[in-house]
Amino acid sequence: LGRPVVLRNAVSKEEMSTFARSAWEKLGHFHPTKKHRVGVTAYPRLSMQESCSYHMSAEQIERDERCRDTPQLHMMHAEDRNHFAETYGMYDGDPTRPGEGFS
């Protein structure tokens, strides 16, 4: 097993501020109460899994609420990059671009 690594000052203050709850509450598509398709895997269609039959919000997932279809399993949601411009405008919606964001 590996150990967690902390890199201080590796991320700009501007980028760190995008992770603050107050920042997410100002968003439309990514607002913490907006409901999205969820499943037991991040991309149910790609892994040939069924999505939950109802949508859940990020707040519900954070509280570990479960889908009635599979109450024994945790839910997750992964977003399509088409919506990244809303949260990663500083990187033109692509935080994985070489030399910027998460790269």
Side-chain angles (χ1 to χ4, degrees):
L1 298 179
R3 293 182 177 211
V5 175
V6 176
L7 300 175
R8 298 195 189 283
N9 301 318
V11 177
S12 71
K13 288 183 181 182
E14 180 185 27
E15 186 173 351
M16 285 301 295
S17 69
T18 66
F19 291 98
R21 181 168 189 81
S22 59
W24 287 80
E25 289 173 344
K26 296 174 187 168
L27 301 177
H29 183 77
F30 290 106
H31 192 279
T33 61
K34 182 166 186 206
K35 298 197 176 193
H36 300 275
R37 181 181 301 159
V38 298
V40 297
T41 62
Y43 297 98
R45 288 174 290 176
L46 295 177
S47 59
M48 293 187 258
Q49 302 286 322
E50 293 291 323
S51 295
C52 179
S53 63
Y54 65 98
H55 291 63
M56 295 175 73
S57 70
E59 287 183 340
Q60 289 175 292
I61 293 171
E62 288 175 354
R63 287 192 301 263
D64 198 25
E65 291 185 23
R66 309 293 175 98
C67 177
R68 289 183 290 257
D69 306 335
T70 54
Q72 71 280 15
L73 300 172
H74 303 281
M75 293 294 106
M76 59 181 74
H77 171 76
E79 192 54 58
D80 186 277
R81 70 177 354 172
N82 293 335
H83 299 286
F84 282 2
E86 182 179 22
T87 52
Y88 300 111
M90 68 194 79
Y91 303 121
D92 296 323
D94 186 1
T96 63
R97 198 166 55 195
E100 298 183 5
F102 303 137
S103 64

